[in-house]
Amino acid sequence: MHRNDDIDPSVPPSGAGCASCLAGDGPGWWFHLRRCARCGQVGCCDSSPSQHATRHHERTGHPIVQSFEPGEDWFWSYPLKAIVPGEPLAPPTHHPLDQPVPGPRGKVPHDWKARLRPPPGPRLRT
């Protein structure tokens, strides 16, 4: 198997939630989580208010994230703007099952749906 230097399967995730949100950067809550495949930094998705996973990519140049949601194992390449193949990462592979989505518990505003950011990309008219 070809090893992708942008993926380090030995590095564990930085924690159970968005490291930057939990450190006080932004409103402190997220919608979904992404895990940097190179360094393990867990950040919030682009629909989240702070978009920390993308900001981590922009700051470090680390190009690939994996979903950190239960039941999801896809990898995303920021430069390619596409799903890419990956290899199993060090456990845990998702946030705790008892952690709510959005999360973390006690930090999510009652009007959280109105605060989500629209996903990037073209919009289809319905």
Side-chain angles (χ1 to χ4, degrees), residues 33-87:
L33 297 170
R34 309 293 178 240
R35 173 186 178 178
C36 177
R38 182 179 286 171
C39 73
Q41 178 79 11
V42 175
C44 51
C45 73
D46 283 351
S47 293
S48 300
S50 296
Q51 302 176 320
H52 285 120
T54 295
R55 289 172 52 194
H56 174 77
H57 157 68
E58 292 168 347
R59 187 177 69 257
T60 65
H62 296 172
I64 299 174
V65 292
Q66 183 179 38
S67 174
F68 200 57
E69 295 298 317
E72 298 181 358
D73 61 1
W74 52 264
F75 288 80
W76 176 261
S77 167
Y78 286 104
L80 298 176
K81 295 180 172 55
I83 300 286
V84 295
E87 55 190 287

Side-chain angles (χ1 to χ4, degrees), residues 3-9 37-38 64 75 84-89:
R3 175 155 158 66
N4 183 334
D5 291 335
D6 293 322
I7 297 174
D8 185 343
R38 182 179 286 171
I64 299 174
F75 288 80
V84 295
E87 55 190 287
L89 300 180

